Amino acid sequence: MDDHEKLSALHRHWDASDAGEFEAEHEIYREDAVLDYPQSAERIHGRRNIQESRFLQPNKKHFAVRRILGGGDLWITEFVLTYDGIPSYAVSIMEFHEGRVAHETQYFGDRFDPSPSRAHLVVRSD
């Protein structure tokens, strides 16, 4: 799988994630994939377990991809994940092996106001 095919697979993954198409969303993962959420100290083993963990979430979700960067076997997606109307800023790091994602790590951050000490230097990107 070349970089163009991986990028296309990533777009299909995030589009399916936003549409709630759980089968299509998880086609990108190897059967033995691992998903890490470092902030909650969770590690999920296996594509079916990853899929089930997301299916069981009761929240209404919306995914808005801001950008996808990568090449070879390492790809990074920056996106906004909105749960029940509340945005969380996220980064997904995906490692491919033999054309599918073998390992993904996701980091989440909530929005915060700029520090008053640098407020005069920033341009808001709302």
Side-chain angles (χ1 to χ4, degrees):
M1 180 180 260
D2 66 23
D3 285 355
H4 179 73
E5 292 169 313
K6 288 176 185 165
L7 182 58
S8 293
L10 286 163
H11 282 291
R12 284 192 307 274
H13 166 76
W14 295 113
D15 288 345
S17 298
D18 188 51
E21 297 171 358
F22 291 103
E23 284 299 323
E25 176 183 0
H26 295 87
E27 288 175 355
I28 199 167
Y29 296 100
R30 292 172 49 94
E31 287 297 326
D32 61 349
V34 174
L35 172 61
D36 283 319
Y37 295 117
Q39 290 156 300
S40 59
E42 295 173 89
R43 173 171 276 182
I44 302 170
H45 291 271
R47 182 169 66 89
R48 289 289 166 207
N49 290 335
I50 294 168
Q51 182 175 346
E52 184 176 353
S53 74
R54 291 173 174 161
F55 179 77
L56 294 173
Q57 291 175 338
N59 309 78
K60 181 176 179 174
K61 297 176 283 248
H62 172 67
F63 293 79
V65 172
R66 298 182 79 176
R67 63 183 172 157
I68 299 174
L69 302 170
D73 290 334
L74 184 61
W75 290 81
I76 299 166
T77 304
E78 178 184 353
F79 61 101
V80 178
L81 175 56
T82 303
Y83 279 112
D84 297 330
I86 300 169
S88 183
Y89 299 85
V91 173
S92 165
I93 302 168
M94 290 184 170
E95 299 171 57
F96 282 77
H97 180 69
E98 297 176 348
R100 299 233 185 256
V101 173
H103 188 219
E104 179 180 18
T105 303
Q106 289 190 356
Y107 295 95
F108 299 88
D110 294 329
R111 182 185 184 117
F112 57 89
D113 290 326
S115 168
S117 66
R118 66 175 184 265
H120 68 286
L121 302 170
V122 302
V123 175
R124 295 300 296 256
S125 61
D126 298 343

